[in-house]
Amino acid sequence: MVILSRIYTKTGDAGTTALGDMSRTSKTDPRLVAYADTDEANCAIGEVVAGARSPEGREGLDDDVLALLTRIQNDLFDVGADLCAPLRPAYEYPPLRVQEQYVADLEAAIDVYNADLPALRSFVLPGGTLAAARLHTARTVVRRAERSTWEALERYGTEPVPVDDGPGGVSVLAAQYLNRLSDLLFVLSRHANREVGDVTWAPGGGRQEAPGRSDG
């Protein structure tokens, strides 16, 4: 159980914050940036779910999609918990970690919702239904969270490090989860537009032909 009885602690007023193992780091640490971006991604998905309460925001989002997105919001808290806990050889209290099944579940969902979509013959613009546009916004935030996670991985690696020997590694499964999630959100945005069709890219805003095309 998590009990939040105090909202402000003043412990971060010097520009540092506590990680999951209670070690402290700068608020600009790539590890912290990664789970902060993951938190923002969760907020973007929350807008999709909350927007479904209106007819415009609900268009293209069936109950199964909303249930999936709600589960993903919970998963993203797990991702954040994983990212904020450096990899150590041993723990007094083992932290929550993203498991391979998390990634496999996303891949299965991608296969389900992509199965009936028409083949793409151009890049897709964020648009169509309001839900689809919001899903595209969420997708781009997830992509940023993934990039931040890879930056943390480049800084700290993936090896467990004893707490007295310095910062521990970062779980690569967290980055893989975010990668698959961005793919799923792209598929769900197209799924949300299945009645109206994809909004596709016109090179040059329609003022010129796509590269490689010729009338000759």
Side-chain angles (χ1 to χ4, degrees), residues 88 161-166:
R88 303 295 184 190
V161 178
V163 66
D164 293 336
D165 292 345

mmCIF file of all heavy atoms in Angstrom, residues 88 161-166:
data_model
loop_
_atom_site.group_PDB
_atom_site.id
_atom_site.type_symbol
_atom_site.label_atom_id
_atom_site.label_comp_id
_atom_site.label_asym_id
_atom_site.label_seq_id
_atom_site.Cartn_x
_atom_site.Cartn_y
_atom_site.Cartn_z
ATOM 1 N N ARG A 88 20.842 -3.365 -8.741
ATOM 2 C CA ARG A 88 21.786 -3.732 -7.693
ATOM 3 C C ARG A 88 21.908 -5.255 -7.630
ATOM 4 O O ARG A 88 20.969 -5.967 -8.000
ATOM 5 C CB ARG A 88 21.307 -3.207 -6.331
ATOM 6 C CG ARG A 88 21.068 -1.706 -6.256
ATOM 7 C CD ARG A 88 22.334 -0.907 -6.429
ATOM 8 N NE ARG A 88 22.112 0.540 -6.251
ATOM 9 C CZ ARG A 88 23.019 1.461 -6.541
ATOM 10 N NH1 ARG A 88 24.194 1.107 -7.041
ATOM 11 N NH2 ARG A 88 22.759 2.737 -6.356
ATOM 12 N N VAL A 161 25.177 -2.827 -9.833
ATOM 13 C CA VAL A 161 26.347 -2.265 -9.162
ATOM 14 C C VAL A 161 26.030 -2.129 -7.675
ATOM 15 O O VAL A 161 24.983 -1.575 -7.319
ATOM 16 C CB VAL A 161 26.715 -0.886 -9.753
ATOM 17 C CG1 VAL A 161 27.903 -0.285 -9.007
ATOM 18 C CG2 VAL A 161 27.014 -0.995 -11.241
ATOM 19 N N PRO A 162 26.895 -2.615 -6.776
ATOM 20 C CA PRO A 162 26.659 -2.421 -5.347
ATOM 21 C C PRO A 162 26.494 -0.943 -5.016
ATOM 22 O O PRO A 162 27.172 -0.082 -5.600
ATOM 23 C CB PRO A 162 27.914 -3.011 -4.693
ATOM 24 C CG PRO A 162 28.427 -4.003 -5.701
ATOM 25 C CD PRO A 162 28.112 -3.392 -7.044
ATOM 26 N N VAL A 163 25.613 -0.658 -4.083
ATOM 27 C CA VAL A 163 25.273 0.740 -3.799
ATOM 28 C C VAL A 163 26.493 1.551 -3.379
ATOM 29 O O VAL A 163 26.588 2.750 -3.679
ATOM 30 C CB VAL A 163 24.167 0.806 -2.731
ATOM 31 C CG1 VAL A 163 24.651 0.294 -1.380
ATOM 32 C CG2 VAL A 163 23.619 2.219 -2.612
ATOM 33 N N ASP A 164 27.461 0.916 -2.708
ATOM 34 C CA ASP A 164 28.657 1.652 -2.272
ATOM 35 C C ASP A 164 29.631 1.922 -3.413
ATOM 36 O O ASP A 164 30.567 2.702 -3.253
ATOM 37 C CB ASP A 164 29.380 0.865 -1.168
ATOM 38 C CG ASP A 164 28.564 0.798 0.113
ATOM 39 O OD1 ASP A 164 27.710 1.684 0.315
ATOM 40 O OD2 ASP A 164 28.786 -0.140 0.905
ATOM 41 N N ASP A 165 29.384 1.264 -4.558
ATOM 42 C CA ASP A 165 30.303 1.425 -5.693
ATOM 43 C C ASP A 165 29.798 2.407 -6.743
ATOM 44 O O ASP A 165 30.455 2.604 -7.768
ATOM 45 C CB ASP A 165 30.557 0.065 -6.356
ATOM 46 C CG ASP A 165 31.343 -0.880 -5.456
ATOM 47 O OD1 ASP A 165 31.915 -0.391 -4.468
ATOM 48 O OD2 ASP A 165 31.357 -2.094 -5.741
ATOM 49 N N GLY A 166 28.649 2.997 -6.507
ATOM 50 C CA GLY A 166 28.168 4.011 -7.428
ATOM 51 C C GLY A 166 26.814 3.689 -8.026
ATOM 52 O O GLY A 166 26.133 2.745 -7.601
#
